[in-house]
Amino acid sequence: MRFDWAEETLTQLNLPSFHFAVQKSEIECLLRLFNSLVKRNGQRLDKNGLDHGAFRGILHNVFGMTDDVLLDRVFFAFDKDCDNRINANEWVKGLSVFLRGTFEEKLKFCFEVYYLDGDGSISREVVFDMLKHSLHQHLSEEESGEGIKELVEITMKKMDYDNDGKISFTDFERAVKGDPLLLEVFGPCLPTAQVQLQVPTA
Amino acid sequence: MGVTLTRSLQWTASGHGTRTLEATPLNDGILEEIILFVDTFLYEHPREAKFVFVEPLGWKTSLEPSAFGAGYVISEKTVTSEEVDKNGEPLLVLSGPHIRIRSFGQLSRLLHIAKDTKLRETRACLEANRDPVVKILGLDYNTTKGEDFSALSILGERSNDNDSEPERPMTVARLLRQLDVHLLNHALRHVSSEMPLNPSAIKNDIELLKHHAGKGEQAVLESIEYTSDYEFSNGCRAPPWRQIYGEICYVLVRPHGAEALCITCSTQGVFLNGGKTDDEREINYERKGKIYKDLVTLLREKSPTFAENMATQENKHNEEQQKQKSPPDEVPNKEAAAARAAPAKSALEKNQINFSRGTARRLQPSLNWRKPPDSKEHRSSVKDTLEEKHGAKLERPRASLSTGKAHRKSTDKIEEIISESSSESEEDEEPPDHRQEANADLPSEYWQIQKLVKYLKGGNQTATVIALCSMRDFNLAQETCQLAIRDVGGLEVLINLLDTDEVKCKIGSLKILKEISHNPQIRRNIVDLGGLPIMVNILDSSNKNLKCLAAETIANVAKFRRARQAVRKHGGITKLVALLDCGQISLEPPQPSLYETRDVEVARCGAQALWSCSKSYSNKEAIRKAGGIPLLARLMKTSHEDMLIPVVGTLQECASEENYRAAIRAERIIENLVKNLNSENEQLQEHCAMAIYQCAEDEETRDLVRLHGGLKPLASLLTKTDNKMRLAAVTGAIWKCSISKENVTKFREYKAIETLVGLLTDQPEEVLVNVVGALGECCQEYENRILVRKCGGIQPLVNLLVGINQALLVNVTKAVGACAVEPESMMIIDRLDGVRLLWSLLKNPHPDVKASAAWALCPCIENAKDAGEMVRSFVGGLELVVNLLKSDNKEVLASVCAAITNIAKDQENLAVITDHGVVPLLSKLANTNNDKLRRHLAEAISRCCMWGRNRVAFGEHKAVAPLVRYLKSEDTNVHRATAQALYQLSEDADNCITMHENGAVKLLLDMVGSPDQDLQEAAAGCISNIRRLALATEKARYI
């Protein structure tokens, strides 16, 4: 019965839109996983899918991601139709980037996580928001604020190539291609290498 | 007195005429004693005071005639004493500045007159009269100086003769002797009290002074500090070239109310030096004042405030002592005890501490003035000092680190020095560690980098990554940025990041470290901060990108010995060798993910790091043991130049070892080396040629190079002279390959010899050495000698004989010698005065050059026209050659024997060298076991027999018996030469007897059966001489 469901969903998905590296069997696996996760959360699977809290739990437990602000953002990046639920389609698409994504796909994904609701670019304020906890706590409020401001300046100087005060996708792409370390510049939003290797085999 | 004057007084070493007495405490003490003696002489020994000196003591005085009073006849310029000797001559004559005195009485009076300038007059007198005893008593007495009793007995005899005379030389002599003994005792006391200062004593003094320095009223000084933070393992801070003068350290002292003093502390004492020049960081080491026995004495003298405060503290202390009766001895003991208790002291440090305990008593004076209101506080103050000392150590981790470094170096050095191979060349000397001055104008990058480092320290992963990426936007190849990162403490943070779990931080940090480690200073800092073990651990990581970066950084850092050693000690070599294996597993994922790198890249980085490491002998061994050679051989098969260069580079370094060369042959690497000679990449060509150069020491390899067709590319590369490094490598390869005859034939085919001759001019020395070496080998063949001459190669070769490079000279002499075999070439050499140049190289300090020059002379003498005349024309040349027989280098001896064989062909020259004692010198060498030397020695002996009674002389110098033993050698050449020598020697009857006694006949009889005709003949001749003698004796018996 469960298997049938998976087959069914598989046919519903627009397969060619995936990267061919994700094999059919792997998608089946993902779907089965999705199925069990939804069940565990005691929800009906027909339309709702995973809600916010459940998804965060998964990110936390399975992928070891802990940054609250970013977990929300990852959720919204997964949730393409903005219904506050991750459905099977979104799940498979998201995880395929997570686990088998090419550099370009990851680049795009990260940018989506960071710019979130903006006009297609990351503003200085958003950067500040994302970096505001990046200094250790032992500094005083004021010092820390100053420090963050400067850090934002440094970041903008590095990444805002056209000097328009915000980081567009072009800026982002250029910066990351120049230095791949900048991919997750505003915080970890992809699983780490170890997890990447472990999950598919699990 | 004489003994003291000659042995104890410290004379300056400046030339002969101007030697003066140094102003040292010892000298001053002796002078004062002499003054006291002379001063009181008049009263204590009135009779002896009248004794007239044999010769007057004369010197330049500073006294004016006007200073003299009663008892003197004073004119405007001159003064004479009224006291006269029995001939009526005055005993004191002063004219101009010159004064001449002839009795102790007058000397004594003069010192009275001199008053304040006594010391100066005495000094001048002693400087002008280096041996006053001779002048006073006459030469006879001086001959027995030292053996005083015999001297006195002679004096006694003499004085008995003229007992009536009032002047008694004996008593005077006895008095002088007493003075001498007294002076020696004085000097001895002085020397024993002036036990040389040692580093730990000075250190203690300085630490104590530091404790009492400060701003307050009570403080004795404003500040006291070392000029250098670096402390050598022996406790000195002076640079090594100053340590040989006994200097220990330099301190900068700021006393209250006076200018800063720059003071040198040396084993002789403490003195002011020329001060520190501000711009240079150099110290003017020249002594500028008196030598004091310790720092406190000097400072007392120089700073009134210091003396005052010291005095008050001393008083306090004395009062305290009387009240509390606490002996100050406790202080050093406690200090020593505390020091003993201090954990983790190296053995060396312990020694120093024990030593300082030994000298504790001497330190007491400087401990006296510490301020102890009561005993408890006294204790605590001692503790404070100690704590402060330890604290200071903790605060300056760099300083203590560098001490540790020095220790490590001293222990490891022995091992390393022996084990380092010749390829170890660049930058092994530690460059001076110049840090930027805090106040100097700093570039704007400095502040920006400082800000970034702040984020590295205080940020989470996100902030750290941003800071790391931004840091890479600076030009990290620029020294300012490199040093800025270090100076703001960035290196520590970067290395700490390597120890975290954050892959991105590690990558970012390594990327920066990789760039800045191009700077030699940074390399050292990284090693000092313990960066290498962490990087070695990263080599185990599963992340290939990380592995690559770590290996590349190691490749940069391991450019000096200590770093290479650290890599090895932490197991880095094995891990690096393991990286080479990556390329083979080939489990590459179809999609190389974001942080992934290709396996080939990993292997390349590993090879790069091994290349750097392979400059140390022990590392070469480690690479081999880790199974690196087959892996390198496998990597040699690729066609990536990026990969090939480090691989060939490593092989080239390692090929200096014999077992590597064998392995390289076995792994069929030569084939690939030859193949890559044809590469487009100049660097690759260079390293391949270099590797062949190293490997072609072995004959088999030379053949392999030829069989794989390597000679042609080498010959064609010879024509490309723009890249000197490559040219040096290529010529080196040609040199070594041309040791094999077949290769030389090939080279001639490829017209390489003409090209080589063309390279004899306008090339750097590295190239020249190899070119000349190659020509030397080629010229062993007749055709090539002709070729070299026809190409005009002889003139440039002879011109090179005037060089100074040893390696070059060895090769040039060899090449010239090879050319000289051709009479026509010899004419050219002779015309260019080449023989004289060769001859003068016999004076070269290096034995290899000497030997090579002597070998080259042999064909020259053999083939020159009028060789005898030519040899004689070199003034002192023959004596030089004969004297070289005193050398202890076997090769030199053999070559000189060969030269003598040739020289002795001319009768006149043979006569000359006989006069120079060639026979005893040759005889002395006879007991050698070296077959090469034996052969040439035997030849020389047989030649030298041709003159006068040399045959007999060889027998007298016991050269015959050892020669007989040569016949037991394995070498036929030795047999032939020996048989000929014995034949010559057997013309003398006594020699025949010696030979017979040593069993020569049986050995010679065997030789008669030899296929070698010369040997046969000489052996037979010798036997016949011996036989004839036997017959003659028999006959004589019956008559």
Side-chain angles (χ1 to χ4, degrees):
Chain A
M1 158 73 191
R2 215 193 298 156
F3 181 78
D4 293 341
W5 176 85
E7 277 288 282
E8 192 188 326
T9 325
L10 201 57
T11 47
Q12 283 168 10
L13 290 172
N14 192 5
L15 264 183
S17 73
F18 289 112
H19 196 274
F20 52 82
V22 186
Q23 292 160 3
K24 192 177 159 190
S25 63
E26 286 180 326
I27 295 172
E28 282 172 16
C29 271
L30 285 177
L31 285 172
R32 245 175 256 138
L33 190 64
F34 180 75
N35 190 13
S36 66
L37 285 169
V38 171
K39 272 229 177 113
R40 195 185 300 159
N41 283 289
Q43 289 174 359
R44 294 196 306 124
L45 52 89
D46 45 328
K47 56 183 170 191
N48 284 332
L50 291 166
D51 71 358
H52 200 137
F55 184 70
R56 281 182 54 155
I58 294 164
L59 287 183
H60 189 103
N61 296 330
V62 180
F63 297 110
M65 295 160 73
T66 48
D67 192 325
D68 281 342
V69 186
L70 283 161
L71 288 186
D72 284 342
R73 287 168 173 270
V74 172
F75 176 79
F76 292 122
F78 265 66
D79 183 20
K80 300 275 190 221
D81 55 6
C82 302
D83 62 350
N84 277 340
R85 285 272 186 280
I86 307 282
N87 60 33
N89 199 342
E90 285 162 351
W91 169 257
V92 174
K93 278 186 178 169
L95 276 194
S96 76
V97 174
F98 247 42
L99 303 175
R100 287 281 189 271
T102 61
F103 185 69
E104 271 75 20
E105 282 169 348
K106 287 184 177 173
L107 185 75
K108 220 177 205 162
F109 176 79
C110 287
F111 188 70
E112 276 168 16
V113 170
Y114 295 140
Y115 94 79
L116 196 60
D117 50 352
D119 51 352
S121 60
I122 310 168
S123 68
R124 191 184 291 267
E125 290 70 37
V126 175
V127 171
F128 185 87
D129 213 36
M130 287 187 287
L131 291 181
K132 73 181 164 203
H133 298 299
S134 64
L135 290 188
H136 290 310
Q137 301 305 315
H138 56 74
L139 294 168
S140 74
E141 196 83 346
E142 201 178 330
E143 267 180 47
S144 162
E146 280 299 308
I148 301 288
K149 252 183 214 161
E150 267 182 46
L151 185 61
V152 172
E153 279 316 308
I154 291 169
T155 317
M156 294 308 282
K157 195 177 146 206
K158 173 135 188 75
M159 301 187 72
D160 183 14
Y161 286 95
D162 49 13
N163 289 320
D164 57 356
K166 47 197 177 185
I167 300 167
S168 63
F169 182 71
T170 338
D171 287 335
F172 189 76
E173 191 180 15
R174 191 170 155 197
V176 176
K177 285 199 170 150
D179 191 341
L181 281 184
L182 287 174
L183 181 62
E184 295 176 80
V185 58
F186 301 118
C189 52
L190 290 171
T192 57
Q194 281 103 333
V195 181
Q196 267 186 37
L197 284 176
Q198 284 159 11
V199 171
T201 53
Chain B
M1 178 168 183
V3 183
T4 321
L5 289 183
T6 46
R7 305 227 178 120
S8 292
L9 280 183
Q10 294 161 329
W11 298 90
T12 57
S14 55
H16 278 291
T18 54
R19 270 165 68 126
T20 53
L21 281 170
E22 275 189 284
T24 59
L26 175 67
N27 281 352
D28 286 350
I30 292 176
L31 284 178
E32 246 147 49
E33 288 298 315
I34 294 175
I35 291 171
L36 196 71
F37 171 78
V38 177
D39 229 359
T40 55
F41 199 95
L42 190 60
Y43 310 110
E44 285 181 8
H45 315 281
R47 282 212 304 166
E48 285 76 15
K50 293 199 179 78
F51 170 73
V52 179
F53 297 167
V54 174
E55 265 183 82
L57 296 176
W59 71 91
K60 264 189 185 172
T61 177
S62 58
L63 290 173
E64 293 296 318
S66 52
F68 292 84
Y72 295 95
V73 183
I74 305 166
S75 73
E76 199 172 317
K77 280 274 160 98
T78 60
V79 177
T80 51
S81 65
E82 283 173 4
E83 198 181 358
V84 292
D85 65 0
K86 55 186 179 214
N87 301 332
E89 296 279 321
L91 292 176
L92 180 147
V93 180
L94 170 76
S95 64
H98 294 283
I99 192 162
R100 291 155 66 83
I101 292 185
R102 292 172 60 201
S103 80
F104 274 114
Q106 287 299 332
L107 273 178
S108 188
R109 283 197 191 98
L110 181 90
L111 286 185
H112 282 297
I113 295 162
K115 284 188 189 99
D116 298 341
T117 54
K118 273 179 194 171
L119 194 67
R120 226 169 83 200
E121 292 301 321
T122 317
R123 181 187 295 271
C125 173
L126 287 176
E127 280 170 8
N129 304 285
R130 289 295 296 276
D131 217 344
V133 186
V134 178
K135 293 201 172 170
I136 293 170
L137 294 170
L139 205 57
D140 302 353
Y141 299 95
N142 197 47
T143 50
T144 51
K145 85 177 153 189
E147 288 79 40
D148 303 86
F149 289 109
S150 60
L152 282 181
S153 65
I154 295 169
L155 284 172
E157 283 163 23
R158 281 195 144 214
S159 55
N160 282 342
D161 296 342
N162 41 15
D163 212 17
S164 54
E165 277 191 46
E167 306 95 330
R168 296 168 152 242
M170 189 179 97
T171 14
V172 172
R174 195 188 294 135
L175 285 172
L176 284 177
R177 193 176 95 76
Q178 276 168 5
L179 173 65
D180 199 6
V181 172
H182 178 71
L183 288 179
L184 277 178
N185 279 335
H186 178 84
L188 194 65
R189 225 179 308 138
H190 180 89
V191 169
S192 60
S193 75
E194 195 70 4
M195 196 171 103
L197 291 175
N198 61 57
S200 59
I202 285 179
K203 201 170 167 184
N204 281 340
D205 273 7
I206 292 173
E207 290 297 339
L208 285 169
L209 284 171
K210 261 190 192 162
H211 191 62
H212 288 271
K215 285 276 177 222
E217 287 268 300
Q218 291 282 306
V220 292
L221 293 169
E222 222 163 80
S223 71
I224 175 166
E225 58 195 17
Y226 293 109
T227 54
S228 150
D229 279 344
Y230 184 80
E231 190 178 325
F232 288 89
S233 54
N234 56 6
C236 293
R237 285 165 196 264
W241 69 91
R242 296 301 302 179
Q243 283 182 25
I244 56 170
Y245 299 105
E247 292 180 6
I248 296 166
C249 63
Y250 312 99
V251 281
L252 212 57
V253 180
R254 265 174 242 284
H256 285 296
E259 267 182 61
L261 306 167
C262 195
I263 297 168
T264 302
C265 300
S266 77
T267 49
Q268 283 99 41
V270 176
F271 55 83
L272 283 181
N273 58 35
K276 207 169 169 178
T277 43
D278 294 332
D279 44 339
E280 290 289 313
R281 308 175 53 90
E282 276 288 313
I283 295 171
N284 182 355
Y285 297 110
E286 200 73 12
R287 182 153 75 86
K288 285 284 149 55
K290 247 176 87 178
I291 296 181
Y292 296 85
K293 76 174 165 50
D294 58 21
L295 255 179
V296 178
T297 328
L298 182 139
L299 289 171
R300 264 207 188 108
E301 198 83 357
K302 296 290 171 194
S303 159
T305 334
F306 181 82
E308 215 170 274
N309 286 350
M310 284 283 288
T312 56
Q313 298 198 353
E314 211 161 315
N315 281 344
K316 266 189 207 165
H317 179 71
N318 286 343
E319 282 164 26
E320 205 53 49
Q321 233 183 334
Q322 278 167 357
K323 245 190 279 169
Q324 299 277 336
K325 306 227 173 191
S326 67
D329 295 42
E330 202 185 314
V331 177
N333 284 344
K334 230 169 51 177
E335 211 164 36
R340 245 179 297 148
K345 289 270 181 197
S346 76
L348 197 79
E349 269 173 306
K350 260 187 208 146
N351 282 344
Q352 275 176 353
I353 285 153
N354 290 341
F355 193 42
S356 77
R357 218 167 104 220
T359 57
R361 189 173 294 166
R362 223 178 50 71
L363 288 173
Q364 247 169 275
S366 53
L367 287 165
N368 272 339
W369 49 268
R370 57 167 57 259
K371 80 179 164 193
D374 62 48
S375 163
K376 250 184 201 166
E377 217 167 290
H378 182 153
R379 265 160 214 258
S380 70
S381 82
V382 174
K383 228 196 220 152
D384 279 356
T385 332
L386 283 172
E387 267 166 12
E388 206 174 277
K389 264 193 252 177
H390 287 288
K393 259 189 193 155
L394 287 175
E395 271 164 27
R396 285 179 293 160
R398 263 195 61 75
S400 63
L401 209 77
S402 50
T403 340
K405 182 175 80 184
H407 278 302
R408 223 181 312 136
K409 240 173 44 195
S410 62
T411 49
D412 290 341
K413 212 150 212 172
I414 307 151
E415 172 215 340
E416 280 289 327
I417 281 175
I418 304 164
S419 66
E420 265 350 285
S421 71
S422 55
S423 56
E424 176 112 19
S425 53
E426 83 276 38
E427 57 141 335
D428 267 309
E429 72 288 352
E430 309 252 338
D433 197 2
H434 54 83
R435 295 188 161 255
Q436 263 163 329
E437 291 290 328
N439 307 335
D441 268 344
L442 293 168
S444 63
E445 292 100 328
Y446 187 89
W447 305 112
Q448 291 165 354
I449 287 174
Q450 189 173 34
K451 207 184 284 173
L452 290 176
V453 169
K454 205 175 73 194
Y455 289 112
L456 290 185
K457 281 180 185 160
N460 67 0
Q461 193 203 352
T462 310
T464 305
V465 170
I466 293 175
L468 287 172
C469 292
S470 303
M471 203 177 268
R472 284 182 53 213
D473 286 344
F474 289 97
N475 183 2
L476 293 178
Q478 205 182 325
E479 198 180 22
T480 2
C481 293
Q482 295 166 345
L483 296 184
I485 291 176
R486 180 191 69 181
D487 291 346
V488 300
L491 272 185
E492 287 90 335
V493 188
L494 288 172
I495 289 172
N496 280 342
L497 282 175
L498 296 183
D499 230 357
T500 62
D501 289 332
E502 300 293 346
V503 176
K504 274 179 279 186
C505 294
K506 286 197 218 178
I507 290 178
S509 164
L510 277 175
K511 277 183 174 171
I512 293 169
L513 286 174
K514 183 182 105 183
E515 294 302 323
I516 61 177
S517 56
H518 285 294
N519 181 316
Q521 289 187 47
I522 301 279
R523 279 174 209 155
R524 281 166 208 281
N525 296 135
I526 291 176
V527 177
D528 291 344
L529 291 168
L532 278 176
I534 306 178
M535 287 188 240
V536 167
N537 282 336
I538 292 179
L539 294 176
D540 283 336
S541 151
S542 58
N543 186 318
K544 288 174 193 159
N545 198 0
L546 261 183
K547 279 196 224 181
C548 278
L549 286 167
E552 277 182 299
T553 317
I554 291 174
N556 284 340
V557 174
K559 291 262 162 69
F560 64 108
R561 184 190 292 150
R562 197 152 50 80
R564 288 194 275 266
Q565 200 181 335
V567 174
R568 180 177 72 248
K569 295 228 162 116
H570 292 96
I573 301 291
T574 328
K575 291 178 184 174
L576 287 171
V577 169
L579 292 191
L580 298 183
D581 211 8
C582 285
Q584 302 305 313
I585 304 165
S586 181
L587 259 177
E588 289 187 39
Q591 288 300 308
S593 74
L594 173 60
Y595 300 119
E596 289 298 293
T597 329
R598 287 162 56 229
D599 284 322
V600 187
E601 185 65 9
V602 177
R604 185 189 69 80
C605 297
Q608 196 99 39
L610 284 177
W611 186 12
S612 291
C613 290
S614 63
K615 290 195 169 73
S616 296
Y617 168 74
S618 314
N619 283 351
K620 291 177 197 180
E621 268 310 293
I623 295 172
R624 197 175 58 83
K625 284 193 184 132
I629 304 175
L631 292 172
L632 287 170
R634 202 152 56 178
L635 292 175
M636 275 298 291
K637 295 192 178 98
T638 64
S639 49
H640 303 288
E641 280 168 7
D642 289 349
M643 173 74 92
L644 284 168
I645 289 172
V647 169
V648 178
T650 312
L651 286 172
Q652 165 222 314
E653 289 294 346
C654 293
S656 61
E657 302 308 314
E658 169 59 37
N659 45 18
Y660 260 96
R661 293 200 288 268
I664 287 172
R665 270 198 313 274
E667 298 282 349
R668 305 163 61 86
I669 290 175
I670 300 292
E671 187 180 341
N672 287 308
L673 285 175
V674 168
K675 193 180 83 195
N676 287 313
L677 274 179
N678 294 317
S679 146
E680 289 294 302
N681 186 310
E682 291 193 3
Q683 210 189 345
L684 184 55
Q685 290 172 335
E686 176 195 330
H687 291 304
C688 286
M690 202 67 191
I692 293 176
Y693 171 34
Q694 296 274 7
C695 293
E697 290 282 347
D698 309 301
E699 186 166 3
E700 208 181 315
T701 308
R702 294 196 287 267
D703 293 340
L704 280 176
V705 173
R706 184 182 64 248
L707 293 175
H708 291 300
L711 300 181
K712 190 160 193 185
L714 280 176
S716 63
L717 282 174
L718 206 51
T719 53
K720 296 176 188 157
T721 59
D722 44 333
N723 182 339
K724 296 298 175 197
M725 296 277 280
R726 184 184 58 184
L727 188 60
V730 169
T731 47
I734 291 182
W735 170 21
K736 292 297 173 188
C737 287
S738 58
I739 296 175
S740 291
K741 286 232 160 22
E742 296 91 334
N743 290 355
V744 175
T745 321
K746 283 276 177 195
F747 280 134
R748 192 167 62 233
E749 227 171 82
Y750 300 137
K751 307 246 178 275
I753 291 164
E754 290 90 331
T755 327
L756 281 172
V757 171
L759 290 173
L760 279 175
T761 42
D762 299 333
Q763 295 298 333
E765 270 184 359
E766 304 85 68
V767 178
L768 280 177
V769 172
N770 297 339
V771 169
V772 175
L775 284 176
E777 293 301 336
C778 293
C779 287
Q780 304 296 327
E781 278 184 42
Y782 171 76
E783 293 95 327
N784 295 336
R785 288 196 285 266
I786 307 279
L787 208 55
V788 169
R789 188 182 72 227
K790 282 192 177 149
C791 298
I794 290 176
Q795 167 119 37
L797 277 176
V798 172
N799 289 346
L800 286 175
L801 281 173
V802 294
I804 45 166
N805 181 326
Q806 280 165 4
L808 182 56
L809 282 177
V810 170
N811 285 352
V812 174
T813 43
K814 186 169 185 196
V816 171
C819 290
V821 174
E822 219 58 47
E824 239 178 290
S825 304
M826 185 54 222
M827 270 166 58
I828 305 175
I829 294 171
D830 197 13
R831 204 178 60 225
L832 294 168
D833 218 9
V835 186
R836 183 187 298 276
L837 291 173
L838 278 175
W839 208 288
S840 55
L841 284 177
L842 293 177
K843 288 186 231 161
N844 192 292
H846 202 266
D848 289 352
V849 179
K850 272 186 206 166
S852 185
W855 286 123
L857 280 174
C858 300
C860 288
I861 300 171
E862 211 172 321
N863 292 312
K865 265 189 204 162
D866 296 329
E869 192 52 48
M870 176 187 78
V871 169
R872 273 192 296 283
S873 72
F874 304 133
V875 179
L878 289 172
E879 191 179 359
L880 175 67
V881 171
V882 173
N883 281 333
L884 278 178
L885 287 174
K886 291 172 189 156
S887 161
D888 41 17
N889 182 310
K890 291 274 184 305
E891 187 67 22
V892 172
L893 290 173
S895 63
V896 171
C897 284
I900 285 178
T901 312
N902 283 297
I903 292 169
K905 284 175 187 163
D906 183 274
Q907 285 291 310
E908 242 177 279
N909 289 337
L910 177 55
V912 176
I913 57 174
T914 307
D915 285 348
H916 286 308
V918 75
V919 176
L921 284 170
L922 285 176
S923 308
K924 215 188 249 173
L925 296 176
N927 279 315
T928 179
N929 292 322
N930 182 315
D931 271 346
K932 190 171 186 186
L933 176 54
R934 279 176 165 185
R935 172 187 168 191
H936 293 286
L937 180 62
E939 280 174 1
I941 289 178
S942 92
R943 273 290 165 192
C944 290
C945 282
M946 313 282 193
W947 180 257
R949 55 181 300 279
N950 279 359
R951 281 189 189 90
V952 186
F954 277 119
E956 284 165 5
H957 287 100
K958 304 198 176 9
V960 180
L963 271 178
V964 174
R965 284 200 292 279
Y966 289 8
L967 293 175
K968 291 176 189 156
S969 152
E970 311 265 292
D971 190 341
T972 339
N973 287 322
V974 177
H975 293 166
R976 188 188 319 118
T978 310
Q980 279 164 344
L982 288 176
Y983 172 58
Q984 287 297 334
L985 288 167
S986 64
E987 306 270 318
D988 176 62
D990 286 334
N991 288 344
C992 286
I993 296 167
T994 320
M995 283 177 217
H996 192 263
E997 277 169 358
N998 284 283
V1001 177
K1002 178 161 189 323
L1003 291 165
L1004 285 168
L1005 278 172
D1006 293 343
M1007 302 287 160
V1008 175
S1010 155
D1012 187 312
Q1013 247 179 12
D1014 292 335
L1015 176 54
Q1016 251 178 26
E1017 216 169 290
C1022 188
I1023 294 172
S1024 99
N1025 279 336
I1026 295 173
R1027 181 69 201 141
R1028 219 171 286 151
L1029 179 73
L1031 284 174
T1033 24
E1034 233 162 277
K1035 214 182 210 174
R1037 200 180 295 158
Y1038 290 118
I1039 285 173

